[in-house]
Amino acid sequence: MADVQNLVNNSVDMEKSVFEPPQDLRNEAHVKSLEQYQQLYKKSVDHPEEFWSDIAKQFYWKNFTTDKFLEYNFDVRNGPIFVRWMKGATTNICYNAIDRHIENGLSDKIAFFWEGNNPEDHDRITYGKLLEEVCKCANVLKSLGVKKGDRVAIYMPMILELSICLLACARIGAIHSIVFAGFSSESLSDRVIDAQCKAIITSDGVWRGTKLLNLKEIVDNAVKLCDDRGHTVEKCIIVRHLSPENEIIVHDDVNGDQDQEPPAKRPYNKFKINWHSGRDVWWHEVMAKSSPVCEPEWMDAEDPLFMLYTSGSTGKPKGVLHTVGGYMLYSTTTFKYVFDYHPSDVFWCTADVGWITGHTYVCYGPLCNGATGIIFEGVPLYPDAGRFWEIVDKYKVTKFYTAPTAIRTLMKFGDEHVTKHSRKSLKILGTVGEPINPEAWLWYHRVVGNEKCAVVDTFWQTETGGHVLTPLPGAIPTKPGSACVPFFGIVPEILSENGETIPKNSNKEGYLVFKQPWPGIMRTVYGNHERFETTYFKKFPGYYCTGDGARQDKDGYIWITGRIDDMVNVSGHLLSTAEVESALIEHEAVTEAASVSHPHEIKGDCIYCFVTLKEGFQFTDELLSELKNIVRKKIGPFAQPDFIQNAPALPKTRSGKIMRRILRKVAVGDAELGDISTLADESVVDILFKLRPKEA
Ligand code: WT7
């Protein structure tokens, strides 16, 4: 069944093109063959209500009566878009993630191992203890005035308290909005204001590799920005994670002077933090006084569970909203089948809980299955490039899930860092976040997996809640670089620009869309349902549009070709070009900016910017670093452009629209521009080519 043509990648000497599931894995798998997958898949799409209600019965429901198991409209021409699964039924995801397992005798099972940034730092928590801590935290939140439906922002490092906070919110029905603790104060404040969060939970600081981050200071600055824009954050809970010797400066005036110092050079034990009496509370103090018993709030299946911001093409991030029942079913089921979960597994997803991957596959998916997982605070290269495999051996990890960018980084450091560790426990290797190049896939399979593990390339989005295209490790033969086949309940199609269905197996590229809802699909953009409809449903009425390009080969395998909108996928994180441009424009020297994606060996894509300067400004190295910094400050360090070039003018159409297609060509130095007759001034292009930075 090899579709060799698809697989050939010049730089790769393809040994085999299709990889059958490893026999041992197949023997124990929940789905053992292609035929069995096809049967289940057919049922899931022909009779979704039956399929998902069988699954729903495995959870605890306070009340399992629904008006209609599934109701939806995917077609803007027929009225508002909506999706409702199991409306009327009541449950609590925290109860299903913890209490249910304790009732089944799993109180002493490890829920999480915690591995610190430093290899000597570690901890663990059982399901029994997790329940106590979650209940205490839930009671703390209640005592601070947080109620069902309130939004709580979480800005935390990868520590056990992070999972405790998220589950505590879920327990009392508060909507958590986790912001990755790498975003800047400004990004954090935008998100806190948009969601009108009542409280923020953070920690004093964190070490990431050799870098010390002052999270409390970032939060203080964000709260100040919120205040300036008329939103008061009532409470901040601070976990003391670094050192009890931190120097604390008490402020009684919440809006008072922030006493700022550059955070980077502070010694560990002299880490200063500002304290705002009345607003700030120490986690350990409030937790110590809190009761370890808390009745869950019984939630409607369609009540909101959490929101998570993702970049939008207009530059303003969208609060993707997920609801309790559908997300619970989908995160649990994808985890079970895609990682072929068994009770003796130790599962490790390296993603930060600040991204959707961490929500679904560090927390909810594994916990709802009663699995043992790992929360890792550090980074892949600290103290050395063997850290991942050292951890794999330390905890005997069976299923491992990471991003192509991490795989490519580690590949560069050589095989020895991998091969000096045994990795004997590994059975399944997963990847997510961006298309994986066959070369990296093959290295992952051959070097990390010793050719004995299944590799699952899982395609999904913040919006989809869980995997939507993926192989099942015991059933689906894999092809390096393909996300393979739809998960249960997913009906993919590939459409042309004008909405015609591209025949299956034709290998023609088009827009990847889904024809019917699955339980984990987002329900709305928080506070802006119209934007939800416009972004995902307007272009192709009747379909959810992913924004990704794809093609399907003659075996029916789907190959993602990348974003077709103005999004850039940097190391597996989506950024909009507009977001970066609006940051650049804030610099006094810039009159106009345009940014495009540029291929990058490790990050997949990186950001390449063109800036037009105002009269009287020079494009100096100093300006260049100021421009990079403004993006770091406005969005976060991970968004920093790799290239910024001087653009005395931008290529525009006569109607004034920037022709990004041309900018993408300039960025990669490709002079084959195609048709440029719509350009208002063709001479602009030559100038841009001349001014390209040499290293690009
Ligand atoms: C975008 C979603 C969902 C987890 C992390 C990213 C790209 C994701 C794959 C994959 C090719 C992928 C897509 C998608 N993407 N996984 N396996 N193969 N592309 O979440 O930030 O919402 O980004 O990531 O472009 O639309 P996200």
Side-chain angles (χ1 to χ4, degrees), residues 32 46 83 99 115 135 155 183 188 206 220 243 279 305 327 347 375 400 409 452 495 501 508 608 618 624 632 677:
K32 295 180 168 53
D46 292 348
V83 177
D99 308 49
E115 172 82 5
C135 287
Y155 187 82
F183 277 106
L188 174 60
V206 67
D220 285 343
S243 159
R279 183 194 78 195
L305 171 63
Y327 178 81
F347 177 76
I375 293 183
F400 176 76
T409 305
K452 290 201 309 261
L495 303 182
T501 302
K508 272 230 204 69
Y608 189 115
Q618 295 287 320
L624 190 67
R632 293 173 69 94
S677 57

Side-chain angles (χ1 to χ4, degrees), residues 569-603:
N569 192 324
V570 181
S571 303
H573 304 305
L574 281 189
L575 280 168
S576 78
T577 50
E579 210 173 345
V580 176
E581 288 158 10
S582 64
L584 290 169
I585 289 221
E586 292 203 16
H587 193 284
E588 53 161 7
V590 177
T591 147
E592 199 168 21
S595 62
V596 295
S597 73
H598 180 278
H600 186 281
E601 204 188 333
I602 302 289
K603 300 179 189 177

Side-chain angles (χ1 to χ4, degrees), residues 81-141:
I81 302 295
F82 69 93
V83 177
R84 291 195 279 268
W85 287 87
M86 302 171 289
K87 181 143 182 70
T90 53
T91 186
N92 184 290
I93 193 171
C94 175
Y95 187 91
N96 277 287
I98 316 179
D99 308 49
R100 189 167 51 106
H101 308 310
I102 292 175
E103 273 157 30
N104 293 332
L106 292 184
S107 189
D108 293 331
K109 183 167 180 177
I110 305 282
F112 290 115
F113 289 109
W114 178 75
E115 172 82 5
N117 184 60
N118 280 326
E120 311 81 62
D121 294 343
H122 51 84
D123 198 355
R124 57 180 62 189
I125 190 164
T126 61
Y127 274 90
K129 185 76 181 154
L130 184 62
L131 179 60
E132 270 182 35
E133 294 294 301
V134 166
C135 287
K136 284 202 281 185
C137 180
N139 287 325
V140 164
L141 290 171

Side-chain angles (χ1 to χ4, degrees), residues 310 356-357 431-436 457-463 483 546 548 560 563 569 572-574:
T310 187
I356 190 68
T357 308
T431 106
V432 60
E434 53 183 307
I436 181 163
D457 174 2
T458 61
F459 168 87
W460 59 297
Q461 308 176 297
T462 304
E463 293 87 340
T546 59
D548 283 289
I560 303 291
R563 299 294 306 186
N569 192 324
H573 304 305
L574 281 189

